[in-house]
Amino acid sequence: MNTSTNYLINSEELMSLGYTPGRAFGIALRVAHKHEHLGKEVLLAQLADVLATPEAYLTDAVCSKLAAALIDEASIPEDAYIPLRDAGADYAIYGESHIEAGARTQMAVAMQLPVTVAGALMPDAHQGYGLPIGGVLAVENAVIPYGVGVDIGCRMALSIYDIPKAFFETNQAQFKRELIAQTRFGAGHGFKPDERADHAVLTDAAFGMNPFVADLKDKAWAQLGTSGGGNHFVEFGIIEFAEGDPALGVPAGTYVALLSHSGSRGLGATLAGHYTKLAKELCRLPYEAQNLAYLGLDSEAGQEYWQAMTLAGDYASANHEVIHRKMAAALGAEVLAKVENHHNFAWKEQWNGQEVIVHRKGATPAGKDVLGIIPGSMTAPGFLVRGKGETASINSASHGAGRQMSRTQAIKTISHETMRAQLKQHGVTLVGAGLDEAPMAYKDIHTVMAAQTDLVAVLATFTPRLVRMADDGSRED
DNA sequence: ATGTGC
């Protein structure tokens, strides 16, 4: 994904040929990279010629796609693009010193959209696609598919069991068995036909909203109750309430709890891809803002996306419900309390006396007295929090610690021995996961929490003990 | 994030 590494022909050279940033520009860079064996001079001459007469290259084995993109771009008049504002409004940043520059650049562009009302960057923010992860954007009467993200409705769910810590510690083998038996991980994975779960979401009329969505229902059913890959997990841990919480109905004390993190699987990903593509066709923005293409809420496409997003959110919730339902039944556990919050979604909310659409892409809703879960890492605590309703953060907080290292960097620099030692030191048993999910790849959650004391108050601390994540190819054992 | 690509 990192396209900036040692290309024979770089962006500046392309620009000196007369290429301008856009889709064709990216294709030209890739063509040049793929055919480096031709040598720099030959490539530069060829790229200049394609730019001058793209029509002559429409059937060329190497440059046909580049030629088509150039013709396509030239056919769009300058004034077909929706202009950005010259200067974007200011936005609040929490924990700025730990946020990478790329995330701030993306947020600055988002602030220039003509529909933008307000924005904020959470302390776990990092660069994403369109809106940064950890970005919050309030807009007027529009929705941005990539402001929600690919994993629509991705969320945290916590079940607090009436099980003492001591019982967990003497029966860990049983908890581990059930963790493996009741959960499914891995990209593309679902349940076999005779293992499929049932849930009311499968009867949601929104599955019939159009043939495209209807086609996704069978896979959604197979994946109901699964967790997927990446940073998703299901884990047992110990949750400590220093004080009782009357609203939740949990007295002060220490309990065993189940915490899950996952989203809407293939269903949400397919819907996100489909509606982002549609938004890009209907909302032509300048190159740097193209991934922020928006749909008017009053438009047919906007209403369709909203309905699809709502379905994906309900489906993501059902996924967690199935996991938690199965686990409680398998353990014979009584659930004292449940907390759930999504952190990739768009909401209709009041902000500063005005109705806005708030996009939270990797940000926890933190309106006044709203409960949320902010996970740390597999060896660092997560927190059950209560929102303070801070206007400047648009009633939001971070959705975790955030990455300190990229996946590739983590795989390169962290050893299996180091990771094993870290897990052992914290008394954590891990099933699955690769080095890219090593705890050292994440920021210090305490630093992140310290940056958002104005946004949330901590109600309880959750310490992971038995963690399951997707297997990954880099594992050696 | 996602079972499949510029």
Side-chain angles (χ1 to χ4, degrees):
Chain A
M1 286 305 258
N2 187 355
T3 51
S4 64
T5 44
N6 302 322
Y7 273 23
L8 184 65
I9 290 174
N10 62 32
S11 303
E12 279 170 32
E13 287 164 319
L14 265 189
M15 290 207 252
S16 68
L17 290 180
Y19 280 84
T20 51
R23 198 170 72 86
F25 192 95
I27 297 172
L29 268 182
R30 280 193 297 275
V31 164
H33 185 54
K34 202 173 162 189
H35 298 277
E36 281 182 351
H37 58 274
L38 294 173
K40 194 160 178 167
E41 275 181 41
V42 174
L43 279 172
L44 285 175
Q46 175 98 348
L47 289 171
D49 201 46
V50 181
L51 182 62
T53 55
E55 306 78 17
Y57 287 88
L58 279 171
T59 57
D60 186 82
V62 174
C63 296
S64 62
K65 186 138 190 188
L66 172 59
L70 284 167
I71 291 168
D72 186 46
E73 269 175 22
S75 72
I76 300 165
E78 276 287 305
D79 60 6
Y81 291 101
I82 298 167
L84 297 181
R85 292 176 185 152
D86 290 336
D90 281 343
Y91 60 93
I93 310 181
Y94 296 87
E96 182 170 9
S97 58
H98 299 280
I99 297 176
E100 62 190 21
R104 293 204 297 271
T105 308
Q106 289 186 316
M107 201 64 213
V109 174
M111 295 307 294
Q112 288 179 275
L113 290 178
V115 290
T116 294
V117 175
L121 215 42
M122 301 300 109
D124 60 338
H126 53 98
Q127 204 174 326
Y129 203 43
L131 195 68
I133 318 297
V136 182
L137 193 70
V139 308
E140 212 176 343
N141 205 35
V143 62
I144 306 168
Y146 264 135
V148 169
V150 172
D151 192 2
I152 301 170
C154 183
R155 66 191 60 213
M156 306 299 306
L158 175 79
S159 285
I160 301 170
Y161 297 136
D162 186 18
I163 298 177
K165 182 182 173 187
F167 181 85
F168 173 77
E169 284 171 345
T170 52
N171 295 279
Q172 275 219 43
Q174 184 205 345
F175 283 87
K176 185 175 174 181
R177 260 200 319 275
E178 295 303 345
L179 186 58
I180 293 168
Q182 308 302 336
T183 67
R184 288 289 184 285
F185 279 83
H189 289 185
F191 284 104
K192 292 177 197 137
D194 62 330
E195 294 176 324
R196 289 183 178 202
D198 196 14
H199 191 283
V201 77
L202 295 168
T203 65
D204 193 324
F207 273 113
M209 63 185 267
N210 63 38
F212 176 75
V213 177
D215 273 352
L216 303 173
K217 187 176 168 179
D218 190 65
K219 189 163 89 175
W221 186 13
Q223 295 187 327
L224 185 62
T226 66
S227 299
N231 59 0
H232 289 171
F233 61 77
V234 178
E235 62 191 25
F236 286 110
I238 306 300
I239 190 162
E240 290 178 72
F241 286 77
E243 293 169 32
D245 189 76
L248 254 188
V250 178
T254 302
Y255 308 87
V256 174
L258 182 76
L259 181 63
S260 51
H261 174 216
S262 55
S264 51
R265 310 285 285 103
L267 174 69
T270 309
L271 291 173
H274 177 78
Y275 286 101
T276 291
K277 189 164 169 275
L278 185 61
K280 283 180 172 180
E281 283 162 14
L282 296 173
C283 174
R284 294 228 177 234
L285 291 165
Y287 179 66
E288 68 270 29
Q290 272 172 14
N291 288 326
L292 292 167
Y294 52 85
L295 299 166
L297 270 195
D298 300 330
S299 73
E300 198 183 328
Q303 288 180 12
E304 219 181 278
Y305 174 75
W306 195 267
Q307 205 183 343
M309 177 192 79
T310 304
L311 174 65
D314 291 344
Y315 173 76
S317 181
N319 270 335
H320 286 263
E321 209 178 307
V322 167
I323 295 166
H324 285 242
R325 190 172 73 194
K326 284 182 176 179
M327 198 65 84
L331 294 170
E334 186 194 333
V335 179
L336 292 179
K338 267 200 84 176
V339 181
E340 175 177 332
N341 74 266
H342 36 333
H343 51 222
N344 279 14
F345 212 64
W347 289 259
K348 250 178 223 171
E349 290 178 11
Q350 288 291 319
W351 183 82
N352 242 1
Q354 161 178 19
E355 186 179 282
V356 288
I357 302 302
V358 178
H359 300 76
R360 295 188 181 87
K361 187 185 193 182
T364 304
K368 180 123 187 67
D369 293 333
V370 172
L371 297 187
I373 302 147
I374 302 177
S377 77
M378 55 177 83
T379 60
F383 301 95
L384 174 57
V385 298
R386 170 173 283 137
K388 293 188 175 180
E390 171 61 45
T391 299
S393 77
I394 318 177
N395 297 306
S396 309
S398 91
H399 81 313
R403 281 195 163 269
Q404 189 166 41
M405 281 179 214
S406 68
R407 290 180 181 279
T408 36
Q409 195 189 352
I411 290 165
K412 234 183 273 175
T413 58
I414 302 169
S415 73
H416 286 276
E417 290 67 34
T418 315
M419 184 167 169
R420 259 197 290 270
Q422 185 98 354
L423 290 166
K424 194 173 174 191
Q425 188 195 331
H426 288 86
V428 174
T429 303
L430 176 63
V431 180
L435 292 172
D436 52 344
E437 283 301 328
M440 302 78 99
Y442 285 87
K443 283 184 199 174
D444 176 14
I445 185 67
H446 300 290
T447 310
V448 170
M449 294 305 288
Q452 52 185 347
T453 52
D454 289 349
L455 314 187
V456 287
V458 172
L459 267 184
T461 303
F462 175 90
T463 307
R465 296 294 301 276
L466 187 44
V467 182
R468 184 173 188 194
M469 299 188 85
D471 279 327
D472 134 309
S474 76
R475 269 180 94 225
E476 63 175 16
D477 54 1

